Amino acid sequence: MTPSRLTVILGIFLLVGSAFTTIPTPEWGFFGHRRINRLAVFTLDAEMMPFFRAHLEWVTEHAVDPDKRRYATEHEAVRHYIDLDHWSEDKTYDHVPERWTDALIWKAGLTIGSENWKVDTILQAPGNQKFSPESVVVFNNDRSRVEIPLGTCRGWWIRNVIPQYYEDQIVVPADSARALGLPAISAQEVTISEGFTDYGILPYHLESMHRRLTEAFREENPTKILRLAAEMGHYIGDAHVPLHTTENYNGQLTDQVGIHAFWESRLPELFADEEYDFFVGKATYIENPREYYWDIVMDSHVLVDSVLQSEWRLRQTFPEDQQMCFDERLGRTIRTQCPEFARAWATVMQGMVEERFRASILSVGSVWYSCWIDAGQPDLSRLVPNLANAETVDSLNAAVQRGKIKGRVHE
Ligand SMILES: [Zn+2]
């Protein structure tokens, strides 16, 4: 082919190509999140299931509200992931705090007048695997360092910093800062910065949602129960996705852009209905929620390398012109992975997506069940939610229509 002809053909291809669009797909796709919540209802026991079955469509539909909320508030995006590898290049994670407060302290900085103090480290008491109250926070600046017991620091943080977490700037009066034990604070106030949140807070958010859902059961507030249960299902689904636990969340660091939606949207959409085994058994009680959520996230994280490497290898060996196909979706033509290519990847991953999908379903049911148990097993049969007034779905949809995700897209 002569160069000029090739140029013309390429030009035509580019022109035609621009008429196609790629529809952004959220995590687990809307398909996956909805399906996980829906099936979780059937893991519940006879005391819980009737209430959830009566609102099956609502719980299914609202599985995707947290993704929609990313368009409405900048604080939402970080709740869907944690970049574990950002905190540990050598892949040992024992030093990553399991408590949210500790995580915030761990990466904090304080500006007192013209002095900048930062947390240098958290020294752990010998024999402690994880931060505990005997641990000591070491603050330093250019000239000195000071050690403060972690228990003291935690209490101070919870009283002074956490209430301002969503403010643009966290400012604490010097009087209360003096109580922290930093020397010679002469300034009027102390400004606090934290460097943790941007890399994701998923496991901490799960723990906080767990408390809130338990509280909703305890209050016997059916509207709140359904809303929090539906949203909890979403975050649990996200925690089961390996690419939600890495900085390379969309293969953007390894020339594999698009792998996120390929794993969690394309594969389930192609194969879940026909091939996945959705019999996952009965919901079980979770003794230690914090440990439980960290286990999920770590189980996902150990799969990251395998997800990335298997797709990379497959792309080198699978015929290049048979990898991407055009597909009709909602009246639009989109470019997406061909079914045969997707099948080949699913095969080399040996059922990983199905396993995580199934684990998500059982986990969502188990969390709902555990929160209900912890709340004293309230009688749900008397509860009638007022879903007409349940959270401002219209305003979420309007935010999505306006169009831009605030914070990191993470897909
Ligand atoms: Zn999400």
Side-chain angles (χ1 to χ4, degrees), residues 61-243:
E61 188 52 36
H62 292 272
V64 294
D65 284 359
D67 271 342
K68 292 180 178 174
R69 197 178 299 113
R70 295 181 307 159
Y71 294 83
T73 159
E74 62 188 313
H75 302 299
E76 182 59 40
V78 294
R79 298 171 185 159
H80 299 241
Y81 62 85
I82 181 164
D83 293 343
L84 278 174
D85 37 13
H86 180 82
W87 301 121
S88 182
E89 276 176 21
D90 66 359
K91 294 186 188 271
T92 58
Y93 298 98
D94 282 350
H95 62 290
V96 181
E98 285 183 342
R99 288 182 190 221
W100 185 53
T101 308
D102 292 356
L104 296 182
I105 294 171
W106 189 43
K107 293 294 157 188
L110 279 67
T111 305
I112 307 168
S114 60
E115 280 191 11
N116 290 316
W117 289 78
K118 67 179 175 56
V119 175
D120 186 45
T121 184
I122 300 182
L123 295 176
Q124 293 166 58
N128 269 334
Q129 281 294 308
K130 282 287 176 188
F131 302 144
S132 73
E134 305 93 79
S135 306
V136 165
V137 185
V138 181
F139 287 88
N140 72 356
N141 67 6
D142 293 340
R143 290 175 290 113
S144 51
R145 58 183 254 150
V146 56
E147 297 184 1
I148 298 169
L150 178 60
T152 307
C153 206
R154 246 181 215 157
W156 189 86
W157 224 263
I158 289 166
R159 282 190 305 278
N160 294 284
V161 180
I162 301 285
Q164 300 184 59
Y165 179 67
Y166 290 115
E167 302 294 330
D168 289 338
Q169 213 181 18
I170 301 172
V171 180
V172 176
D175 275 351
S176 46
R178 259 176 229 117
L180 188 58
L182 288 165
I185 294 178
S186 54
Q188 291 293 308
E189 54 189 27
V190 175
T191 307
I192 315 262
S193 61
E194 64 96 2
F196 191 90
T197 298
D198 283 351
Y199 297 95
I201 58 166
L202 174 58
Y204 313 103
H205 190 61
L206 285 167
E207 200 186 323
S208 129
M209 288 289 289
H210 192 104
R211 275 195 301 269
R212 289 164 61 192
L213 180 56
T214 305
E215 199 46 46
F217 277 118
R218 204 170 281 141
E219 290 171 18
E220 303 190 15
N221 180 333
T223 311
K224 215 164 159 185
I225 291 169
L226 286 175
R227 180 169 59 76
L228 290 169
E231 297 199 5
M232 187 64 175
H234 180 98
Y235 297 114
I236 292 170
D238 280 356
H240 281 81
V241 176
L243 293 172

Side-chain angles (χ1 to χ4, degrees), residues 95 157 211 248 257 271 282 331 352 397 410:
H95 62 290
W157 224 263
R211 275 195 301 269
N248 193 15
V257 170
F271 306 125
K282 285 281 161 210
M352 185 206 293
N397 286 336
H410 212 281

